[in-house]
Amino acid sequence: MSTSTSTYTAANSVAIVGLGWLGEPLALTLLAQGYAVSGSTTCQDKAKRLAKAGIQTQVWNINAPLPPVWSATLAAHTLVLCVPPGKVDDYANILGQVARLATSSGVQRILFTSATSVYAGIGHKIEADAAPDSARGERMLAAEQAVQGCGAQVLCLRLSGLVGGSREPGRFLAGRSFDGGNEPINLVAQEDLLRFIPAILAKEDWPSRFNMSAPHHPSRRDFYSQAAEFRDLPAPQFSGGGQGKTIDGSALSEWLGLDYQVTNWFDWLAERNKQHED
């Protein structure tokens, strides 16, 4: 991993650690908007492909021992940490180390893609309500705290369930049995992420956290049954009711002055199915 102690603070420079389902299309979106974009991946072939597209790409597995100084390839004004917890052995500790290393090199801001697993129980949830009741939620909240302690300006973007692109919701639960059919869904589409995150990067007055969740919350039974039907897959079977929690993503929308594109998940499913058939 090439390293450098120099800083690169041009305001339009962004490095994305984790060029995966979200990170790769985000990098391409930002590049098209005039940003200087770099990023990291564990895949050599992907690194070569993205480099040809104009994205400086570092092959890096952050589970390996961290370098003493930040990579010259990833030198940037803003860092987007886009690494899901399943990809990292000691999630909070390692992400905290990565954030501190980046900050020591001159990174000014960090956008951390967290998750709404930090919320527990039932009912309406806003940003102040974080109180995890699962190991995943506790790990995510610990990671938020570790990244926020790095010394840079940090915004934790708590994402609801991710759909769109290669993430086909019709396949998620097809043919399986679950409890809690009446529980509301909390999802965010890739297309809205690719609209909202660039808008966040264009702002300067970052708060410490925001939820991102589409404003429509139909039941799991209704949504996943319809999603499976559109893909000609066996419908999931739900027993019991369940109240669940509803994630409120309106504060981010209001702060940006930007409405969610997906306001009805059944319309979204129908349009996605139409595109699939075409």
Side-chain angles (χ1 to χ4, degrees), residues 135-167:
R136 187 178 189 281
E138 291 173 356
R139 184 167 62 249
M140 190 61 73
L141 188 58
E144 286 190 9
Q145 294 165 348
V147 173
Q148 287 172 327
C150 72
Q153 184 181 25
V154 176
L155 192 161
C156 296
L157 187 61
R158 294 169 175 166
L159 306 180
S160 287
L162 305 174
V163 294
S166 62
R167 294 183 62 84

Side-chain angles (χ1 to χ4, degrees), residues 14-31 37-41 46 49-50 55-57 80-84 111 113 159 162 166-167 190 193-194 197-198 201:
V14 177
I16 302 172
V17 173
L19 292 169
W21 176 86
L22 173 57
E24 179 177 350
L26 176 60
L28 294 170
T29 298
L30 294 174
L31 187 68
V37 186
S38 61
S40 75
T41 178
K46 179 183 284 189
R49 172 168 54 79
L50 291 176
I55 298 166
Q56 296 187 69
T57 307
V80 179
L81 281 177
C82 199
V83 183
L111 176 65
T113 56
L159 306 180
L162 305 174
S166 62
R167 294 183 62 84
Q190 188 182 73
L193 287 161
L194 298 180
I197 294 179
L201 297 180

Side-chain angles (χ1 to χ4, degrees), residues 108-261:
Q108 301 296 302
R109 308 188 302 175
I110 298 177
L111 176 65
F112 171 44
T113 56
S114 183
T116 54
S117 57
V118 300
Y119 301 110
I122 61 175
H124 182 263
K125 303 296 179 181
I126 62 172
E127 284 77 1
D129 295 333
D133 61 354
S134 68
R136 187 178 189 281
E138 291 173 356
R139 184 167 62 249
M140 190 61 73
L141 188 58
E144 286 190 9
Q145 294 165 348
V147 173
Q148 287 172 327
C150 72
Q153 184 181 25
V154 176
L155 192 161
C156 296
L157 187 61
R158 294 169 175 166
L159 306 180
S160 287
L162 305 174
V163 294
S166 62
R167 294 183 62 84
E168 173 51 63
R171 302 184 186 282
F172 288 177
L173 309 182
R176 300 162 62 190
S177 297
F178 299 89
D179 293 326
N182 291 340
E183 292 181 10
I185 63 165
N186 297 284
L187 299 174
V188 61
Q190 188 182 73
E191 50 261 51
D192 270 328
L193 287 161
L194 298 180
R195 293 170 61 246
F196 276 51
I197 294 179
I200 291 170
L201 297 180
K203 298 270 281 186
E204 295 183 359
D205 56 331
W206 283 8
S208 60
R209 60 189 64 84
F210 272 124
N211 296 333
M212 191 166 175
S213 186
H216 186 213
H217 305 275
S219 72
R220 297 173 72 211
R221 177 184 289 106
D222 290 347
F223 175 77
Y224 286 109
S225 296
Q226 181 68 79
E229 181 179 339
F230 273 135
R231 288 292 180 265
D232 294 322
L233 296 169
Q237 301 300 312
F238 290 97
S239 60
Q243 294 177 290
K245 59 192 175 189
T246 300
I247 306 300
D248 186 339
S250 64
L252 174 62
S253 176
E254 292 168 5
W255 180 65
L256 292 174
L258 188 63
D259 292 331
Y260 286 88
Q261 182 172 307

Side-chain angles (χ1 to χ4, degrees), residues 50-114:
L50 291 176
K52 290 180 180 178
I55 298 166
Q56 296 187 69
T57 307
Q58 177 80 52
V59 178
W60 184 26
N61 183 347
I62 67 173
N63 283 307
L66 296 181
V69 293
W70 190 244
S71 166
T73 302
L74 300 176
H77 178 268
T78 301
L79 173 66
V80 179
L81 281 177
C82 199
V83 183
K87 301 288 186 179
V88 184
D89 295 333
D90 188 0
Y91 194 61
N93 181 46
I94 290 180
L95 286 194
Q97 291 183 48
V98 169
R100 291 191 296 274
L101 188 62
T103 301
S104 70
S105 79
V107 167
Q108 301 296 302
R109 308 188 302 175
I110 298 177
L111 176 65
F112 171 44
T113 56
S114 183

